[in-house]
Amino acid sequence: MIDLPLTGVRVVDRTSGGIATAARLLAELGADVIRVEAPGGGADRDHGPTVAGVALSFVADNLGKRAVAPADDDPAFDALLADAHILIEDSAPGSAAQARLDPAGIAARHPALVVMSISSFGQSGPWARWQATDGVLHAVTGGLSRSGLPDRAPLLPPGELTIRTAGVQIAALALASFIQRLRDGRGDHVDVSLLEAGMAALDPGFGVAGSAQSGVPLWKMSRGRVDERFRYPIFACADGHVRLCVLAPRQWRGMFEWMGRPDEFAGPEWEKLQTRFRSTTLIPAMARFFADRTRAQIEREAEAHGVPAAALLDLGEAVATPQMVARGAVAKMAVAPGVSAPFPNGTIEIDGARAGIRGPAPDLSDARFDGPIPDWHAPPAADLPLAGLKVLDMGVIVVGAETGRFLADLGADVVKVENGAFPDGQRQSRDDAPVSITFAAGHRNKRGLSIDLKSDAGKALFARLVERADVLCSNFKPGTLAGLGFTPERLRELNPRLVTVDSAAFGPTGPWSRRLGYGPLVRASAGLAKRWTYPGEPDSFSDGVTVYPDHVAARVGIVGVLALLIRRMRTGLGGSASVSQAEVMLGHMATDIAALGAAAAGHRVDTPPMATPSGLYPAAGDDEWVVVTARDAADWRALAEATGHEEWLVDPLLADAQGRDAERARIDDALARWTAARPAGQAAAILQAAGVPAGEMLRVVELPAAPQHVALGTFREAAHPLIDVRFAVEGAPARSRLPLPDQRPAPRLGEDSAAVVADWLELTDAQVDRLLADRIIETV
């Protein structure tokens, strides 16, 4: 039986909606989570699509928890907090709810408690009282400006990706603060904004970028939406669509052979990306080649020729693939008496076993913490949670970079392991810089080790490093490390205290486990690419620029690492965490998966009318936009008054949500005329002053100067000795008692090889010199 790493950790969850996924993730890893609701139950119990009167989103966000509903001044609530380790709460700054709860007072009364205060825009700054929806957050974090097709309006992505990815960041920050509490006995009051958490975990503009950027940072992109369809082209075929990722020369050679070696594309120049991307004839030729083939046929033939390809699946097809069925990625859970529906079954495997759903969504009860509290034997007190820990970082591109960098920011000695013959592809940049800015941003605070892992001597040296390490990170294709002789069994033999984390496109097991893991292919296979389209235009695929789910998958792995380090303080033993990027993505579409499954089983799914108005509206200027969401009747009244349309409030056709939904076109047209007469920032500020969620579409280059980011210290400048400009990187992920992370430059290839082996293995200068002379290690 799996020893869940957070067994004994006690969490009070006083959040609702998508933020509640943070505590659900902790519950899946073994924490005892008690959800605190308002008397009579939380508003999210009947929000969104319902089956038998139960909101499917509520079930998805709260599986495995228990629930109570005391008044804020009930002594039982304070007694619950006295027994807890972590409180996660989302009272809005300056609200009556926050005044009643008094998070600062709770932190003062319970000095060993980690209090996570979650708000839309943070507890201070000019936007602190503003309210947000997922669309508003997507606008002000820079993601919206990159979503959509050239010369079209930007496109809001499906679902609540910003808020749900923020939930993983919140879980990671909560565990980091808890580790610090275990080390020095002091709790913390942590101010987390969804603005920053969602930006960091979904698609940050100033972090490490995807391969498609070729090392050029997102803030250097052109002002409009970039046409990236040629990088990851989607082709119509006999029974739908397929996506290809033909990037490396060997992949192009496979494609050329597959197409029958056409003379038109036979020259060596076609092995170059830019030749293929600039061609006006290649894509049409490929389209003709695929037109009469089926999706399954294309996938089989692509695999035979070494060409990365994936069928575009809808969500129902995605959860029924052989991979998801084999891995048990979806599980049926009771929704109401006699009614069940399928839900994603967690995103992390611990020690080879799924840490998934631990129970149904909770009914209200008199739940209390009653299990034993473990004896955690933490390292000595230090300024940062992971100070003194050693990490071997074998990760590459986005997931690898982010995992190690996050651990380094928490104080670990993170060593990026590379080899001169196979450097991280992120080092390269098409803008002719000696090292890419995205690499410099994503690998700061690490040291660099170049080691020859193909030689016996190099493997022996690496084994000695493993013996001294606390954590080993990788995101290779499953089996790569084992192929070098470092199987899970071998790693445990070398170091029983070692914590390992790996991430793969489809997970370490199952029939698709060795498929190439390009993010665009994962989005196609997981059912997202087919949903990321303009309304009424099913072929307008628009997910080409995003690198989702790379950043959030990294954070899921980080949660696994931190949880296993907590367990190691209890047991003295390490363990493994494995992440499937496709399953991370399914987790963010949980409500839709449940609704599809319930409907397929013959249950009635009641879907409320969409909020009206809600969406994207033009602002004054060229390609300027504002997102507005009137969530309920109070927002509707405030919006009507703020925009000078008081007549709407007496119009009987607009008296309820159903009527406003029916009259959506009329309302949208009037609101668009109002927003188009004003700058986007001004329109958003007017509506926010009235209490209506609204946000200006910001471009990445504009983010550091945005007033709320300035007030929160979201960004700070960094430098690198091989880059002739200073550049922005993320600052502290939240406001807490932890000091700001270091700002050490990302390492050059092998820059610290000699120092690392000397420090970790206590080698003499002569021993290090011999390793260098034999080229077992290399240094610049």
Side-chain angles (χ1 to χ4, degrees):
M1 183 177 178
I2 182 173
D3 181 5
L4 291 168
L6 296 185
T7 297
V9 177
R10 298 173 169 185
V11 179
V12 174
D13 178 19
R14 203 178 184 280
T15 67
S16 63
I19 305 171
T21 56
R24 177 190 158 174
L25 178 53
L26 300 181
E28 289 171 351
L29 289 168
D32 186 3
V33 178
I34 296 180
R35 172 183 159 97
V36 175
E37 304 181 41
D44 55 351
R45 283 183 176 267
D46 58 5
H47 179 75
T50 59
V51 174
V54 178
L56 295 175
S57 59
F58 168 80
V59 177
D61 296 339
N62 294 284
L63 290 164
K65 303 178 185 178
R66 298 184 288 160
V68 295
D72 287 336
D73 57 356
D74 188 332
F77 177 52
D78 207 57
L80 192 68
L81 296 175
D83 289 337
H85 301 118
I86 300 169
L87 165 66
I88 308 177
E89 64 88 18
D90 64 351
S91 60
S95 66
Q98 187 180 69
R100 290 193 301 271
L101 180 65
D102 187 16
I106 288 173
R109 291 196 306 277
H110 304 284
L113 183 67
V114 173
V115 179
M116 306 290 296
S117 286
I118 317 301
S119 60
S120 294
F121 294 101
Q123 300 292 323
S124 59
W127 296 355
R129 303 292 180 93
W130 284 22
Q131 301 178 58
T133 59
D134 197 83
V136 169
L137 290 169
H138 204 64
V140 297
T141 55
L144 178 61
S145 67
R146 312 194 300 271
S147 175
L149 299 178
D151 304 317
R152 297 284 303 272
L155 177 64
L156 286 167
E160 290 186 324
L161 294 184
T162 313
I163 290 175
R164 294 186 179 279
T165 54
V168 183
Q169 176 88 341
I170 292 164
L173 295 175
L175 292 184
S177 295
F178 180 62
I179 289 175
Q180 186 69 14
R181 180 255 197 208
L182 290 176
R183 296 189 71 158
D184 64 17
R186 296 165 52 206
D188 200 356
H189 188 187
V190 185
D191 168 16
V192 182
S193 75
L194 295 177
L195 173 73
E196 296 166 300
M199 179 170 57
L202 177 57
D203 212 350
F206 289 91
V208 62
S211 299
Q213 289 302 116
S214 300
V216 179
L218 290 169
W219 51 266
K220 285 190 173 184
M221 288 178 65
S222 60
R223 188 173 183 277
R225 276 148 299 287
V226 178
D227 193 347
E228 295 286 5
R229 288 170 292 179
F230 59 89
R231 294 185 186 275
Y232 311 118
I234 292 174
F235 299 98
C237 61
D239 60 348
H241 292 83
V242 293
R243 171 176 265 164
L244 268 66
C245 292
V246 183
L247 301 175
R250 68 181 183 279
Q251 294 165 353
W252 163 248
R253 290 192 289 270
M255 187 74 237
F256 178 66
E257 292 288 340
W258 187 12
M259 293 174 69
R261 302 178 62 85
D263 291 341
E264 182 181 1
F265 310 116
E269 70 274 13
W270 290 96
E271 292 199 357
K272 298 179 180 179
L273 277 173
Q274 292 307 314
T275 301
R276 302 199 299 272
F277 290 164
R278 291 170 182 159
S279 171
T280 59
T281 59
L282 177 58
I283 293 297
M286 294 172 71
R288 292 190 297 270
F289 180 71
F290 292 125
D292 60 354
R293 286 169 163 80
T294 65
R295 295 179 298 174
Q297 180 184 359
I298 292 169
E299 286 189 329
R300 287 195 304 272
E301 294 178 2
E303 184 176 5
H305 287 86
V307 176
L312 265 69
L313 305 180
D314 62 34
L315 196 51
E317 292 174 317
V319 298
T321 60
Q323 178 69 7
M324 296 306 168
V325 172
R327 286 180 52 76
V330 173
K332 281 194 173 182
M333 292 299 298
V335 173
V339 179
S340 63
F343 291 89
N345 189 20
T347 55
I348 307 182
E349 290 174 292
I350 297 295
D351 301 334
R354 182 174 292 277
I357 298 171
R358 294 180 60 216
D363 293 325
L364 294 175
S365 67
D366 60 350
R368 294 290 183 270
F369 295 118
D370 51 16
I373 297 177
D375 290 326
W376 286 293
H377 301 286
D383 289 340
L384 287 165
L386 302 188
L389 271 69
K390 296 179 171 64
V391 178
L392 288 170
D393 176 10
M394 304 185 77
V396 295
I397 313 298
V398 178
V399 174
E402 282 290 274
T403 304
R405 194 270 306 168
F406 198 105
L407 300 178
D409 284 359
L410 292 177
D413 179 11
V414 177
V415 173
K416 179 164 180 56
V417 180
E418 291 176 277
N419 181 270
F422 305 100
D424 191 324
Q426 281 286 2
R427 287 186 176 276
Q428 304 168 9
S429 176
R430 70 172 185 261
D431 65 2
D432 296 325
V435 64
S436 74
I437 290 177
T438 64
F439 181 90
H443 292 275
R444 62 191 186 274
N445 291 333
K446 302 179 183 179
R447 297 199 286 172
L449 167 65
S450 179
I451 183 171
D452 178 12
L453 287 178
K454 289 188 176 258
S455 70
D456 290 341
K459 291 176 183 178
L461 180 65
F462 186 71
R464 295 179 63 191
L465 293 169
V466 167
E467 291 174 344
R468 300 295 181 92
D470 296 284
V471 179
L472 171 62
C473 310
S474 68
N475 62 317
F476 304 124
K477 185 187 296 185
T480 301
L481 265 179
L484 292 171
F486 295 98
T487 63
E489 296 76 16
R490 173 64 172 151
L491 292 172
R492 282 196 297 273
E493 177 185 310
L494 288 168
N495 184 352
R497 290 177 52 81
L498 183 70
V499 169
T500 65
V501 59
D502 58 83
S503 173
F506 298 99
T509 61
W512 291 6
S513 62
R514 295 189 63 80
R515 280 196 176 190
L516 286 172
Y518 294 110
L521 300 185
V522 182
R523 294 195 295 273
S525 298
L528 183 65
K530 203 166 181 179
R531 305 176 76 208
W532 202 318
T533 58
Y534 288 87
E537 301 180 50
D539 296 350
S540 59
F541 308 110
S542 301
D543 69 322
V545 175
T546 182
V547 294
Y548 171 81
D550 293 48
H551 290 275
V552 67
R555 281 157 177 78
V556 173
I558 290 159
V559 168
V561 167
L562 298 178
L564 286 168
L565 289 172
I566 291 169
R567 188 182 72 177
R568 192 175 75 169
M569 297 178 199
R570 169 167 57 86
T571 67
L573 298 175
S576 66
S578 296
V579 178
S580 160
Q581 295 168 30
E583 291 169 18
V584 170
M585 208 177 296
L586 291 183
H588 298 148
M589 299 184 281
T591 301
D592 297 309
I593 290 171
L596 284 172
H603 301 300
R604 175 179 166 180
V605 180
D606 294 312
T607 303
M610 184 178 171
T612 307
S614 176
L616 192 67
Y617 299 89
D622 175 31
D623 195 30
E624 301 291 344
W625 302 87
V626 60
V627 172
V628 181
T629 311
R631 300 160 296 183
D632 50 28
D635 283 356
W636 167 248
R637 174 173 290 278
L639 181 138
E641 293 172 348
T643 59
H645 284 286
E646 287 86 351
E647 75 277 5
W648 288 345
L649 302 177
V650 295
D651 187 336
L653 294 177
L654 307 178
D656 56 25
Q658 289 79 6
R660 294 191 288 273
D661 189 29
E663 296 291 313
R664 178 177 300 276
R666 170 164 63 106
I667 297 169
D668 281 347
D669 183 65
L671 181 56
R673 289 196 301 272
W674 184 86
T675 58
R678 294 162 176 80
Q682 182 187 89
I686 291 170
L687 294 175
Q688 286 281 6
V692 180
E696 170 187 8
M697 184 187 80
L698 295 174
R699 292 168 174 82
V700 171
V701 71
E702 299 168 332
L703 294 176
Q708 189 64 10
H709 287 307
V710 172
L712 296 178
T714 303
F715 302 104
R716 54 181 176 156
E717 278 198 339
H720 193 279
L722 298 181
I723 299 174
D724 59 6
V725 295
R726 295 183 68 84
F727 50 94
V729 296
E730 299 163 10
R735 280 138 302 282
S736 71
R737 69 181 177 90
L738 298 180
L740 279 171
D742 285 343
Q743 280 283 63
R744 300 190 308 276
R748 290 170 286 176
L749 184 65
E751 178 175 357
D752 307 290
S753 296
V756 167
V757 296
D759 293 347
W760 281 36
L761 304 179
E762 300 175 354
L763 301 184
T764 65
D765 290 346
Q767 290 171 314
V768 172
D769 289 343
R770 182 58 185 266
L771 291 171
L772 288 167
D774 292 343
R775 302 186 69 100
I776 305 305
I777 62 172
E778 294 182 312
T779 189
V780 280

